[in-house]
Amino acid sequence: MDQTFANKPFMRHYLDYYFDLYWDLHLGVTGEAIPFEVRQIGEAFNTVLAYRNPLLPITYDNYMIVRERLDFLKSWIDDRLADIENGKTKDPEKAIAWYWLKNAGDGSHFAKKDVVFECFHNFVALSQWGNSIFGIMSRLTEDGGDPAVRASFQRTMSGDFDTANGSAFSPLELLVMELFRVISPNGGSISAVRDARGGASPQERFGFPMERHSYINTPHTSTSLDPTHWKNPNAFDPQRYLSVPTSAQITEAKCQQMGLAQCPFEITNFDVKDGRKTNITNSGFGTVFGVVDGKNLPVCDYAGFAPFGFGYRRCPGEQLTIQVFEDFLRKVWRDKIVFRKLNLPNPGRVPIGPVAVIEDDFGFTRST
């Protein structure tokens, strides 16, 4: 949001810099240290996620780019992980992969090849930041935005927005959570279900080299807006999370109080091995969260808050993402950023995230 880029299409500019942000965050690499092939496969991967339809030439062409470049990407990531391990990377502890490597132990549960996979698996996860930025801009814009969101932003940022005052969440965190509930950049989660019928499946009986699976789809958007969970689900109200349980509160006793004989998931603890006084634990629903220096850092563990999924399938990058967008909104407030429609005659179509190809017609200015 440098003034140099004011009054220009915002999302194309964001995507032009996105992979510098992505690889710096994961491997501590940016700028010319990122090869063309690595940038190309990232852009192609994102385009496939956005267009999704395999019958479209743009989807097919970019899918083939991903396939052709995948071995190169894996090899490049593996080399960068070696740089982190042998000290060639500057400030390696600023890269996510450093923590994965430090906590991998003997590699029996999280081998180096798994770290390599996770470094580009996040193409899917972090691509949703683009959806989220676009969703926030479109609601905060002065012409055609959402009045309730604009008023809530003004009210939150005019106060002591970073002080929780005894709550699990600060006012700014509550605002970001509510934005994610209504934007819901990830439309749903899919879990595989094994064939539960008695006896062998037809595929097994006849020796077919395949297994039959069904799946469960958890729809995040409709769940977050369901009146079963909220009195006024369509109202924009960050305060709603002050009265629902957090992951630290869903204990064995709470599960029994709700009518469950025991927690669906055993509550366990994993002490990190990277030098921090931190352990990873989970709620009775399987929701994972951190405990740092003895202090719980919980998430909202309620069915009405679905943008990051549920239980053990919940996105592990939830708190990182919320903090990223807290910083985004701090920047908007501090620099008096104003979003506006540019009303371009032919705005570019930009693939900003999963199932999201938008007309790039929003920009920003600074108010005086």
Side-chain angles (χ1 to χ4, degrees):
M1 287 183 281
D2 187 272
Q3 184 63 24
T4 307
F5 303 101
N7 295 305
K8 296 179 181 179
F10 190 95
M11 293 311 301
R12 182 65 262 173
H13 167 62
Y14 165 76
L15 288 179
D16 287 342
Y17 283 85
Y18 169 69
F19 287 105
D20 287 271
L21 170 67
Y22 184 95
W23 290 117
D24 192 21
L25 183 62
H26 284 78
L27 297 171
V29 179
T30 189
E32 294 181 358
I34 304 173
F36 165 77
E37 294 88 345
V38 172
R39 293 183 183 274
Q40 185 186 41
I41 194 174
E43 183 85 18
F45 198 108
N46 198 55
T47 302
V48 172
L49 289 177
Y51 281 92
R52 192 69 68 95
N53 184 348
L55 300 179
L56 295 176
I58 191 171
T59 307
Y60 173 80
D61 292 343
N62 282 278
Y63 180 84
M64 295 307 295
I65 290 173
V66 174
R67 287 180 61 91
E68 291 165 6
R69 301 295 193 195
L70 189 56
D71 287 342
F72 179 93
L73 177 66
K74 289 180 180 179
S75 177
W76 179 78
I77 293 173
D78 195 68
D79 290 343
R80 301 294 73 74
L81 293 176
D83 289 345
I84 290 175
E85 289 181 305
N86 60 31
K88 287 186 178 180
T89 302
K90 183 181 179 181
D91 300 324
E93 68 280 357
K94 293 183 179 180
I96 292 175
W98 185 85
Y99 295 90
W100 286 338
L101 293 168
K102 286 289 184 179
N103 289 287
D106 62 5
S108 58
H109 298 293
F110 194 51
K112 191 174 181 180
K113 67 177 182 179
D114 299 316
V115 178
V116 171
F117 175 81
E118 286 300 326
C119 281
F120 66 84
H121 168 261
N122 276 347
F123 281 164
V124 178
L126 269 64
S127 67
Q128 295 165 38
W129 288 7
N131 301 41
S132 304
I133 289 174
F134 182 76
I136 291 172
M137 283 197 308
S138 62
R139 286 164 173 80
L140 290 180
T141 182
E142 288 196 336
D143 40 2
D146 187 317
V149 174
R150 286 169 51 80
S152 185
F153 174 68
Q154 182 74 27
R155 187 166 52 250
T156 299
M157 304 308 289
S158 296
D160 192 1
F161 52 80
D162 277 328
T163 301
N165 289 320
S167 168
F169 312 109
S170 71
L172 180 54
E173 193 170 0
L174 294 172
L175 175 66
V176 174
M177 290 164 64
E178 184 71 341
L179 284 166
F180 270 93
R181 184 184 72 91
V182 298
I183 293 171
S184 202
N186 179 6
S189 301
I190 295 177
S191 299
V193 180
R194 290 186 178 275
D195 192 339
R197 295 177 301 175
S201 69
Q203 288 84 358
E204 291 177 299
R205 276 206 309 272
F206 295 108
F208 294 149
M210 64 184 75
E211 293 184 17
R212 177 187 173 194
H213 292 272
S214 184
Y215 68 89
I216 294 174
N217 178 38
T218 305
H220 296 174
T221 307
S222 55
T223 302
S224 289
L225 299 174
D226 196 315
T228 302
H229 308 305
W230 306 114
K231 289 183 179 180
N232 297 297
N234 294 316
F236 189 84
D237 179 16
Q239 301 300 304
R240 66 175 75 247
Y241 307 106
L242 296 177
S243 59
V244 294
T246 69
S247 51
Q249 295 169 326
I250 304 297
T251 60
E252 177 77 39
K254 185 66 174 179
C255 287
Q256 292 182 4
Q257 180 186 347
M258 296 170 64
L260 301 175
Q262 62 181 22
C263 290
F265 292 88
E266 180 181 354
I267 296 178
T268 57
N269 289 278
F270 172 83
D271 292 323
V272 303
K273 301 176 179 64
D274 53 42
R276 293 174 296 164
K277 295 180 179 179
T278 300
N279 69 279
I280 309 300
T281 187
N282 62 279
S283 76
F285 296 156
T287 302
V288 176
F289 63 99
V291 181
V292 179
D293 294 327
K295 179 183 177 181
N296 291 321
L297 301 178
V299 295
C300 175
D301 211 3
Y302 181 66
F305 185 68
F308 296 95
F310 298 101
Y312 77 103
R313 292 298 310 275
R314 195 166 179 138
C315 175
E318 174 177 352
Q319 289 179 319
L320 168 65
T321 295
I322 287 176
Q323 289 169 6
V324 165
F325 281 89
E326 287 180 37
D327 277 346
F328 177 76
L329 292 177
R330 289 188 189 100
K331 173 74 172 177
V332 170
W333 179 257
R334 182 178 65 246
D335 289 5
K336 298 181 180 180
I337 298 292
V338 176
F339 297 110
R340 291 196 176 101
K341 286 205 72 173
L342 300 175
N343 295 314
L344 299 174
N346 295 295
R349 287 179 57 77
V350 179
I352 60 169
V355 201
V357 182
I358 56 94
E359 289 190 347
D360 195 12
D361 199 24
F362 285 104
F364 73 89
T365 59
R366 282 174 166 79
S367 64
T368 56

